[in-house]
Amino acid sequence: MQKVFLSAFLLFQLSCYIVRAQTVVEGKITDAQTFEPVVFAAVVFVGTNIGTTTDFDGNYSLSGVEVSDSIIISFIGYERKIIGIKQDTVQTVDVELHPAVYALGEVIVTPGENPAHRLLRKVWENSDNNSIEKLSAYQYENYSRSTVFLRKFNKNADNEKGLKPYAKEFDSFAVKTGEENLPALPSYISESLSDNYYLKSPKREFIHIKATNSNGIAFENTDMVAQLVSKQEKLYFPDNNIPILDKNFISPVSRFGLMYYKYYLTDSLFLDDKYYCYEVNVVPKREEDPVFHGTIWIHDTTYALKRLSVEVTKQAELNFIQRIKIQQDYEPFGSGAWFAVKTRFMVDAVNIFATSYSRKSKIYTDQPFDPGFYGSEMKISFNSRDHGEEYWEENRRNSLDRIDSLAWSGIDSLKQNNKVRISAKLVEASIKGYYNFGWFEGGPIFLVYNHNKVEGNRFRIGGRTNIDFSK
């Protein structure tokens, strides 16, 4: 009996020691300038081989027994960072990484063919089997969210002419972000839930926007942004060309990729605990070409594109665009066609930048409807804006990021400021042609006044009701 008690006591003591010695670090890795999650960044205990990678939402969890007193975070295109941690505790460490000048580390070249080129040929050979174009029809539900910010690039840029009249409002309502506390003024946030249908022959596409939820200092009574974002969500990198802002870019897995990119096979690892993939770094041969740089991951069995994280820089000459960042995650459905189930898209343009997130679910393949079902390209439900917070909590495919939550509250505060509200309405009117008074919109503003030599000055008053008139 004493031996039993002794054994139990020793086991209890051992378990207590293990619990005490366990160091657990978890958190989220984000881009310090854009607030977007840094997908698949490496997080390692310094001086050990214990590490992990961030998921598609930038989250990570790392644990070990009696490990080092710091972690190192790294990802291609960002500056490495070392953070001190406490041992033998559970702690949350959120980290912001700053973009670095893009440079590939040392590459050792050995005789023979580049293994990344052999991998690419496998991708091309299996592209038809993996593409959604082989399907006769498909449909899915899509949740999307987009946020637009007005931002100062330089923390000392207090005298920018465009923002000087609103310096007080900017300082009062801007969200302080990044390690340098760069201010960003939220101007619009929108989320939508839609059903999307595609028929191959005859080619038809139909989008039914079931619900929209938006808030902004302008455009709060339109679904324009929801419609714009729904078009951006069609990026499909297994295609040869990727259309972005009316310009075709060469996909990293394009059949013409070897003419535009250098490829480096750098690692092999499991993604989502079930897809063993090859990691390939992609470097443009000429920065001025319509190309990307970043990392792609290829499934080792089907040779399908599983994940990517790529960027477009200002060398691509997209007018005022400084940077575009795209992240996607792919999953197979039906007969093996790979869909982009998650997409993040970020555009940084001068003093404005926008981010969007989308996630597909309820994907069904090869179940076509009659061609008449696809009669219109888009339909917006009459009650699309009548859903409450409980509905959105249920249908959101991920919780709101910190910056999105701050955007909601910041916009509500800005709308109470008369100077900002009226200025925003004037900008909206210049784009729409009508000034919004609530349920009534006056205009078209370009026809309010006219002058000619025969009739002299002419004034015209007109308007129209909007969707709020029916409420």
CSV table of all heavy atoms in Angstrom, one decimal, residues 327-364:
chain,number,residue,atom,x,y,z
A,327,GLN,N,-2.7,37.3,-50.4
A,327,GLN,CA,-2.5,36.0,-49.8
A,327,GLN,C,-3.7,35.1,-50.1
A,327,GLN,O,-4.9,35.6,-50.0
A,327,GLN,CB,-2.3,36.1,-48.3
A,327,GLN,CG,-1.1,37.0,-47.9
A,327,GLN,CD,-1.1,37.4,-46.4
A,327,GLN,OE1,-2.2,37.6,-45.8
A,327,GLN,NE2,0.1,37.5,-45.8
A,328,GLN,N,-3.5,33.8,-50.4
A,328,GLN,CA,-4.6,32.9,-50.7
A,328,GLN,C,-4.3,31.5,-50.2
A,328,GLN,O,-3.1,31.1,-50.1
A,328,GLN,CB,-4.8,32.8,-52.3
A,328,GLN,CG,-5.5,34.0,-52.8
A,328,GLN,CD,-6.0,33.7,-54.3
A,328,GLN,OE1,-5.3,33.1,-55.1
A,328,GLN,NE2,-7.2,34.2,-54.6
A,329,ASP,N,-5.3,30.8,-49.9
A,329,ASP,CA,-5.3,29.4,-49.4
A,329,ASP,C,-6.2,28.6,-50.2
A,329,ASP,O,-7.4,29.1,-50.4
A,329,ASP,CB,-5.6,29.3,-47.9
A,329,ASP,CG,-5.1,28.1,-47.3
A,329,ASP,OD1,-4.1,27.6,-47.8
A,329,ASP,OD2,-5.7,27.6,-46.3
A,330,TYR,N,-5.8,27.5,-50.8
A,330,TYR,CA,-6.6,26.7,-51.7
A,330,TYR,C,-7.0,25.3,-51.0
A,330,TYR,O,-6.2,24.8,-50.2
A,330,TYR,CB,-5.9,26.4,-53.0
A,330,TYR,CG,-5.7,27.6,-53.9
A,330,TYR,CD1,-4.8,28.6,-53.6
A,330,TYR,CD2,-6.5,27.8,-55.0
A,330,TYR,CE1,-4.7,29.8,-54.4
A,330,TYR,CE2,-6.4,28.9,-55.8
A,330,TYR,CZ,-5.5,29.9,-55.5
A,330,TYR,OH,-5.4,31.0,-56.3
A,331,GLU,N,-8.1,24.8,-51.4
A,331,GLU,CA,-8.6,23.5,-50.9
A,331,GLU,C,-9.3,22.8,-52.1
A,331,GLU,O,-9.9,23.4,-52.9
A,331,GLU,CB,-9.6,23.7,-49.8
A,331,GLU,CG,-9.1,24.3,-48.5
A,331,GLU,CD,-8.4,23.2,-47.6
A,331,GLU,OE1,-8.5,22.0,-47.9
A,331,GLU,OE2,-7.9,23.6,-46.6
A,332,PRO,N,-9.1,21.4,-52.1
A,332,PRO,CA,-9.8,20.6,-53.2
A,332,PRO,C,-11.2,20.3,-52.8
A,332,PRO,O,-11.5,20.0,-51.7
A,332,PRO,CB,-8.9,19.4,-53.3
A,332,PRO,CG,-8.4,19.2,-51.9
A,332,PRO,CD,-8.2,20.6,-51.3
A,333,PHE,N,-12.1,20.3,-53.9
A,333,PHE,CA,-13.5,19.9,-53.7
A,333,PHE,C,-13.9,19.1,-54.9
A,333,PHE,O,-13.3,19.1,-55.9
A,333,PHE,CB,-14.4,21.1,-53.6
A,333,PHE,CG,-14.2,21.9,-52.3
A,333,PHE,CD1,-13.2,22.9,-52.2
A,333,PHE,CD2,-15.0,21.6,-51.2
A,333,PHE,CE1,-13.1,23.6,-51.0
A,333,PHE,CE2,-14.8,22.3,-50.0
A,333,PHE,CZ,-13.9,23.3,-49.9
A,334,GLY,N,-15.0,18.3,-54.7
A,334,GLY,CA,-15.6,17.5,-55.7
A,334,GLY,C,-14.6,16.6,-56.4
A,334,GLY,O,-14.1,15.7,-55.7
A,335,SER,N,-14.4,16.7,-57.6
A,335,SER,CA,-13.5,15.8,-58.4
A,335,SER,C,-12.1,16.2,-58.3
A,335,SER,O,-11.3,15.8,-59.2
A,335,SER,CB,-14.0,15.7,-59.8
A,335,SER,OG,-14.0,17.0,-60.4
A,336,GLY,N,-11.7,17.0,-57.4
A,336,GLY,CA,-10.3,17.4,-57.2
A,336,GLY,C,-10.0,18.8,-57.7
A,336,GLY,O,-8.8,19.1,-57.8
A,337,ALA,N,-11.0,19.6,-57.9
A,337,ALA,CA,-10.7,21.0,-58.3
A,337,ALA,C,-10.3,21.8,-57.1
A,337,ALA,O,-11.0,21.7,-56.1
A,337,ALA,CB,-11.9,21.6,-59.0
A,338,TRP,N,-9.3,22.6,-57.2
A,338,TRP,CA,-8.8,23.4,-56.0
A,338,TRP,C,-9.4,24.8,-56.1
A,338,TRP,O,-9.2,25.6,-57.1
A,338,TRP,CB,-7.3,23.5,-56.0
A,338,TRP,CG,-6.7,22.2,-55.6
A,338,TRP,CD1,-6.7,21.0,-56.3
A,338,TRP,CD2,-6.0,21.9,-54.4
A,338,TRP,NE1,-6.0,20.0,-55.7
A,338,TRP,CE2,-5.6,20.5,-54.5
A,338,TRP,CE3,-5.6,22.6,-53.3
A,338,TRP,CZ2,-4.9,19.9,-53.4
A,338,TRP,CZ3,-4.9,22.0,-52.3
A,338,TRP,CH2,-4.5,20.7,-52.3
A,339,PHE,N,-10.1,25.2,-55.0
A,339,PHE,CA,-10.7,26.5,-54.9
A,339,PHE,C,-9.9,27.4,-54.0
A,339,PHE,O,-9.3,26.9,-53.0
A,339,PHE,CB,-12.1,26.4,-54.4
A,339,PHE,CG,-13.2,25.9,-55.4
A,339,PHE,CD1,-13.3,24.6,-55.6
A,339,PHE,CD2,-14.0,26.8,-56.0
A,339,PHE,CE1,-14.2,24.1,-56.5
A,339,PHE,CE2,-15.0,26.4,-56.9
A,339,PHE,CZ,-15.1,25.0,-57.2
A,340,ALA,N,-9.9,28.7,-54.3
A,340,ALA,CA,-9.3,29.7,-53.4
A,340,ALA,C,-10.3,30.0,-52.3
A,340,ALA,O,-11.1,30.8,-52.4
A,340,ALA,CB,-8.9,31.0,-54.1
A,341,VAL,N,-10.1,29.2,-51.2
A,341,VAL,CA,-11.2,29.3,-50.1
A,341,VAL,C,-10.9,30.5,-49.2
A,341,VAL,O,-11.9,31.0,-48.6
A,341,VAL,CB,-11.2,28.1,-49.3
A,341,VAL,CG1,-11.7,26.9,-50.1
A,341,VAL,CG2,-9.8,27.8,-48.7
A,342,LYS,N,-9.7,31.1,-49.2
A,342,LYS,CA,-9.5,32.3,-48.4
A,342,LYS,C,-8.6,33.2,-49.2
A,342,LYS,O,-7.6,32.8,-49.8
A,342,LYS,CB,-8.7,31.9,-47.1
A,342,LYS,CG,-9.5,31.0,-46.1
A,342,LYS,CD,-8.6,30.7,-44.9
A,342,LYS,CE,-9.3,29.7,-44.0
A,342,LYS,NZ,-8.4,29.3,-42.9
A,343,THR,N,-8.9,34.5,-49.2
A,343,THR,CA,-8.2,35.5,-49.9
A,343,THR,C,-8.0,36.8,-49.1
A,343,THR,O,-9.0,37.2,-48.5
A,343,THR,CB,-8.8,35.8,-51.2
A,343,THR,OG1,-8.9,34.7,-52.1
A,343,THR,CG2,-8.0,36.9,-52.0
A,344,ARG,N,-6.8,37.3,-49.0
A,344,ARG,CA,-6.6,38.6,-48.5
A,344,ARG,C,-6.0,39.5,-49.6
A,344,ARG,O,-5.1,39.0,-50.3
A,344,ARG,CB,-5.7,38.6,-47.3
A,344,ARG,CG,-6.4,38.3,-46.0
A,344,ARG,CD,-5.5,38.6,-44.8
A,344,ARG,NE,-6.3,38.3,-43.6
A,344,ARG,CZ,-6.3,37.2,-43.0
A,344,ARG,NH1,-5.6,36.2,-43.5
A,344,ARG,NH2,-7.0,37.0,-41.9
A,345,PHE,N,-6.5,40.7,-49.7
A,345,PHE,CA,-6.0,41.6,-50.7
A,345,PHE,C,-5.8,43.0,-50.1
A,345,PHE,O,-6.7,43.5,-49.5
A,345,PHE,CB,-7.1,41.7,-51.8
A,345,PHE,CG,-6.7,42.4,-53.1
A,345,PHE,CD1,-6.0,41.8,-54.1
A,345,PHE,CD2,-6.9,43.8,-53.2
A,345,PHE,CE1,-5.7,42.5,-55.3
A,345,PHE,CE2,-6.5,44.5,-54.3
A,345,PHE,CZ,-5.9,43.8,-55.4
A,346,MET,N,-4.6,43.5,-50.3
A,346,MET,CA,-4.3,44.8,-49.7
A,346,MET,C,-3.7,45.7,-50.8
A,346,MET,O,-2.9,45.3,-51.6
A,346,MET,CB,-3.3,44.7,-48.6
A,346,MET,CG,-2.9,46.0,-47.9
A,346,MET,SD,-1.6,46.9,-48.7
A,346,MET,CE,-0.2,45.8,-48.5
A,347,VAL,N,-4.2,47.0,-50.8
A,347,VAL,CA,-3.7,48.0,-51.8
A,347,VAL,C,-3.3,49.2,-51.0
A,347,VAL,O,-4.0,49.7,-50.2
A,347,VAL,CB,-4.8,48.4,-52.8
A,347,VAL,CG1,-4.2,49.4,-53.7
A,347,VAL,CG2,-5.2,47.2,-53.6
A,348,ASP,N,-2.0,49.6,-51.2
A,348,ASP,CA,-1.5,50.8,-50.5
A,348,ASP,C,-1.2,51.8,-51.6
A,348,ASP,O,-0.3,51.6,-52.4
A,348,ASP,CB,-0.2,50.4,-49.8
A,348,ASP,CG,0.2,51.4,-48.8
A,348,ASP,OD1,-0.2,52.6,-48.9
A,348,ASP,OD2,1.0,51.1,-47.8
A,349,ALA,N,-2.0,52.9,-51.6
A,349,ALA,CA,-1.9,53.9,-52.7
A,349,ALA,C,-1.8,55.3,-52.1
A,349,ALA,O,-2.7,55.8,-51.5
A,349,ALA,CB,-3.1,53.8,-53.6
A,350,VAL,N,-0.6,55.9,-52.2
A,350,VAL,CA,-0.3,57.2,-51.7
A,350,VAL,C,-0.8,57.3,-50.3
A,350,VAL,O,-0.3,56.6,-49.4
A,350,VAL,CB,-1.0,58.3,-52.6
A,350,VAL,CG1,-0.4,59.7,-52.3
A,350,VAL,CG2,-0.6,58.0,-54.1
A,351,ASN,N,-1.8,58.2,-50.0
A,351,ASN,CA,-2.3,58.3,-48.6
A,351,ASN,C,-3.5,57.5,-48.3
A,351,ASN,O,-4.2,57.7,-47.2
A,351,ASN,CB,-2.6,59.8,-48.3
A,351,ASN,CG,-1.3,60.6,-48.3
A,351,ASN,OD1,-0.8,61.0,-49.3
A,351,ASN,ND2,-0.8,60.9,-47.1
A,352,ILE,N,-3.9,56.6,-49.2
A,352,ILE,CA,-5.1,55.8,-49.0
A,352,ILE,C,-4.7,54.3,-49.1
A,352,ILE,O,-3.9,54.0,-50.0
A,352,ILE,CB,-6.2,56.1,-50.0
A,352,ILE,CG1,-6.7,57.6,-49.7
A,352,ILE,CG2,-7.3,55.2,-49.8
A,352,ILE,CD1,-7.7,58.0,-50.7
A,353,PHE,N,-5.2,53.5,-48.3
A,353,PHE,CA,-5.0,52.1,-48.5
A,353,PHE,C,-6.3,51.3,-48.1
A,353,PHE,O,-7.0,51.8,-47.2
A,353,PHE,CB,-3.8,51.5,-47.9
A,353,PHE,CG,-3.8,51.3,-46.4
A,353,PHE,CD1,-4.3,50.2,-45.8
A,353,PHE,CD2,-3.4,52.4,-45.5
A,353,PHE,CE1,-4.3,50.0,-44.5
A,353,PHE,CE2,-3.4,52.2,-44.2
A,353,PHE,CZ,-3.9,51.0,-43.6
A,354,ALA,N,-6.5,50.2,-48.7
A,354,ALA,CA,-7.7,49.4,-48.5
A,354,ALA,C,-7.3,47.9,-48.3
A,354,ALA,O,-6.3,47.4,-48.9
A,354,ALA,CB,-8.7,49.5,-49.6
A,355,THR,N,-8.0,47.2,-47.5
A,355,THR,CA,-7.8,45.8,-47.3
A,355,THR,C,-9.1,45.1,-47.4
A,355,THR,O,-10.2,45.6,-47.1
A,355,THR,CB,-7.2,45.5,-45.9
A,355,THR,OG1,-8.2,45.9,-44.9
A,355,THR,CG2,-5.9,46.3,-45.6
A,356,SER,N,-9.0,43.8,-47.9
A,356,SER,CA,-10.2,43.0,-48.0
A,356,SER,C,-9.9,41.6,-47.6
A,356,SER,O,-8.8,41.1,-47.8
A,356,SER,CB,-10.8,43.1,-49.4
A,356,SER,OG,-10.0,42.4,-50.3
A,357,TYR,N,-10.9,40.9,-47.1
A,357,TYR,CA,-10.8,39.5,-46.7
A,357,TYR,C,-12.0,38.8,-47.2
A,357,TYR,O,-13.1,39.3,-47.1
A,357,TYR,CB,-10.7,39.4,-45.1
A,357,TYR,CG,-10.8,37.9,-44.6
A,357,TYR,CD1,-9.7,37.1,-44.5
A,357,TYR,CD2,-12.1,37.4,-44.3
A,357,TYR,CE1,-9.9,35.8,-44.0
A,357,TYR,CE2,-12.2,36.1,-43.8
A,357,TYR,CZ,-11.1,35.3,-43.7
A,357,TYR,OH,-11.2,34.0,-43.3
A,358,SER,N,-11.9,37.6,-47.7
A,358,SER,CA,-13.0,36.8,-48.1
A,358,SER,C,-12.8,35.3,-47.9
A,358,SER,O,-11.6,34.9,-47.8
A,358,SER,CB,-13.3,37.0,-49.6
A,358,SER,OG,-12.2,36.4,-50.4
A,359,ARG,N,-13.8,34.6,-47.6
A,359,ARG,CA,-13.7,33.2,-47.4
A,359,ARG,C,-14.9,32.5,-48.0
A,359,ARG,O,-16.1,32.9,-47.7
A,359,ARG,CB,-13.7,32.9,-45.9
A,359,ARG,CG,-13.6,31.4,-45.6
A,359,ARG,CD,-13.3,31.2,-44.1
A,359,ARG,NE,-13.2,29.8,-43.8
A,359,ARG,CZ,-12.8,29.3,-42.6
A,359,ARG,NH1,-12.5,30.2,-41.6
A,359,ARG,NH2,-12.7,28.0,-42.4
A,360,LYS,N,-14.7,31.4,-48.8
A,360,LYS,CA,-15.7,30.6,-49.4
A,360,LYS,C,-16.1,29.4,-48.5
A,360,LYS,O,-15.2,28.8,-47.9
A,360,LYS,CB,-15.3,30.2,-50.8
A,360,LYS,CG,-15.0,31.3,-51.8
A,360,LYS,CD,-14.5,30.7,-53.1
A,360,LYS,CE,-14.2,31.8,-54.1
A,360,LYS,NZ,-13.1,32.6,-53.8
A,361,SER,N,-17.4,29.1,-48.5
A,361,SER,CA,-17.9,27.9,-47.8
A,361,SER,C,-19.0,27.3,-48.6
A,361,SER,O,-19.5,27.9,-49.6
A,361,SER,CB,-18.2,28.2,-46.4
A,361,SER,OG,-19.3,29.2,-46.4
A,362,LYS,N,-19.5,26.2,-48.1
A,362,LYS,CA,-20.7,25.5,-48.8
A,362,LYS,C,-20.4,25.4,-50.3
A,362,LYS,O,-21.3,25.8,-51.1
A,362,LYS,CB,-22.0,26.3,-48.5
A,362,LYS,CG,-22.3,26.4,-47.0
A,362,LYS,CD,-23.5,27.2,-46.8
A,362,LYS,CE,-23.8,27.4,-45.3
A,362,LYS,NZ,-25.0,28.3,-45.1
A,363,ILE,N,-19.3,24.8,-50.6
A,363,ILE,CA,-18.9,24.7,-52.1
A,363,ILE,C,-19.5,23.4,-52.6
A,363,ILE,O,-19.3,22.3,-52.1
A,363,ILE,CB,-17.4,24.7,-52.2
A,363,ILE,CG1,-16.8,26.1,-51.7
A,363,ILE,CG2,-17.0,24.5,-53.7
A,363,ILE,CD1,-15.3,26.1,-51.7
A,364,TYR,N,-20.2,23.5,-53.7
A,364,TYR,CA,-20.8,22.4,-54.4
A,364,TYR,C,-20.4,22.4,-55.9
A,364,TYR,O,-20.3,23.5,-56.5
A,364,TYR,CB,-22.3,22.4,-54.3
A,364,TYR,CG,-22.8,22.4,-52.9
A,364,TYR,CD1,-23.2,23.6,-52.3
A,364,TYR,CD2,-22.9,21.2,-52.2
A,364,TYR,CE1,-23.7,23.6,-51.0
A,364,TYR,CE2,-23.4,21.2,-50.9
A,364,TYR,CZ,-23.8,22.4,-50.3
A,364,TYR,OH,-24.2,22.4,-49.0
